[in-house]
Amino acid sequence: GAGVSQSPRYKVAKRGQDVALRCDPISGHVSLFWYQQALGQGPEFLTYFQNEAQLDKSGLPSDRFFAERPEGSVSTLKIQRTQQEDSAVYLCASGNNEQFFGPGTRLTVL
Amino acid sequence: GQQVMQIPQYQHVQEGEDFTTYCNSSTTLSNIQWYKQRPGGHPVFLIQLVKSGEVKKQKRLTFQFGEAKKNSSLHITATQTTDVGTYFCAGRYSNYQLIWGAGTKLIIKP
């Protein structure tokens, strides 16, 4: 595709519900990043993949957050037992130097 | 830990006035990137600076990287309404992770 795509664009979840956010990176990009962006803040690093290998997950806030990229292309960020503090925009970026961002998924936990 | 400080948080200017945002790191950066995020949008890559003392220009935008590779600035001459958004610097220390500043929001006074 022409750019990074993410789905869904918006997700409303009840507290305690599990959610899965999808990222389709630009074809051929080895590196994939997930970020969390709160309103009025810069992106906060969550995790990094190089192909299918998750090389850094130091930014994941808790063990309720899990990410995978099994075939080295599409990636999924899963949040289990969502809490209100998980409400944010989740951005995916791919790129081997500069980062190309998707439109983000705005997650609202009620 | 590694941190990139960015100031100011907001800057209100009249259309036609200049705008500047500054980023500072306590330790030497490998390189620094600048991104622009329009309201409701996602970060879009503007430029990367690698060399000590580097200055790059893109039309009305001038980017500088300090001699010690610890600070950087973005200056916009004669702002236009299309410049509205939040400008982020993102510093790289290792070979993949970017540490993001909090952003400077450019607001054009009506």
Side-chain angles (χ1 to χ4, degrees), chain A residues 31 33 35 45 48 55-56 99, chain B residues 92 94-98:
Chain A
S31 299
F33 300 80
Y35 293 92
F45 170 80
Y48 165 67
L55 298 188
D56 188 342
Q99 296 186 7
Chain B
R92 178 171 277 133
S94 68
N95 61 355
Y96 63 85
Q97 188 175 145
L98 289 174

Side-chain angles (χ1 to χ4, degrees), chain B residues 3 5 14 47 66 69 74 83 87-88 90 93 95 107-108:
Chain B
Q3 201 172 10
M5 304 300 294
Q14 298 278 5
I47 209 159
K69 298 182 70 172
L74 158 59
D83 297 326
Y87 293 84
F88 292 98
Y93 299 92
N95 61 355
I107 299 163
I108 304 280

Side-chain angles (χ1 to χ4, degrees), chain B residues 34 46-47 49 54-56 58 61-64 73-74:
Chain B
W34 285 91
L46 294 176
I47 209 159
L49 304 172
E54 190 169 14
V55 178
K56 286 189 176 180
Q58 288 179 352
L61 279 61
T62 301
F63 303 84
Q64 295 190 36
S73 65
L74 158 59

Side-chain angles (χ1 to χ4, degrees), chain A residues 61-109:
Chain A
S62 76
D63 59 8
R64 296 185 295 103
F65 286 70
F66 172 76
E68 60 183 4
R69 192 187 186 195
E71 296 179 358
S73 55
V74 171
S75 178
T76 304
L77 176 67
K78 297 179 179 178
I79 309 173
Q80 297 177 322
R81 305 181 304 281
T82 52
Q83 304 293 315
Q84 285 187 324
E85 62 262 28
D86 300 335
S87 296
V89 175
Y90 291 86
L91 293 166
C92 172
S94 72
N96 301 327
N97 184 28
E98 68 185 83
Q99 296 186 7
F100 296 86
F101 282 81
T105 295
R106 181 176 297 277
L107 173 64
T108 303
V109 181

Side-chain angles (χ1 to χ4, degrees), chain B residues 9-100:
Chain B
Q9 188 175 3
Y10 301 94
Q11 191 166 3
H12 294 77
V13 300
Q14 298 278 5
E15 188 174 2
E17 290 182 338
D18 293 355
F19 162 88
T20 306
T21 174
Y22 302 90
C23 283
N24 187 65
S25 167
S26 57
T27 56
T28 303
L29 295 163
S30 170
N31 58 60
I32 194 161
Q33 297 181 356
W34 285 91
Y35 291 77
K36 177 184 178 181
Q37 186 170 21
R38 293 180 184 273
H42 55 274
V44 175
F45 175 81
L46 294 176
I47 209 159
Q48 175 173 279
L49 304 172
V50 179
K51 298 177 184 176
S52 169
E54 190 169 14
V55 178
K56 286 189 176 180
K57 293 191 176 186
Q58 288 179 352
K59 297 183 181 178
R60 293 177 295 103
L61 279 61
T62 301
F63 303 84
Q64 295 190 36
F65 202 12
E67 293 291 339
K69 298 182 70 172
K70 290 183 179 181
N71 54 69
S72 182
S73 65
L74 158 59
H75 180 81
I76 303 177
T77 303
T79 53
Q80 300 175 358
T81 55
T82 53
D83 297 326
V84 162
T86 301
Y87 293 84
F88 292 98
C89 62
R92 178 171 277 133
Y93 299 92
S94 68
N95 61 355
Y96 63 85
Q97 188 175 145
L98 289 174
I99 307 297
W100 291 70

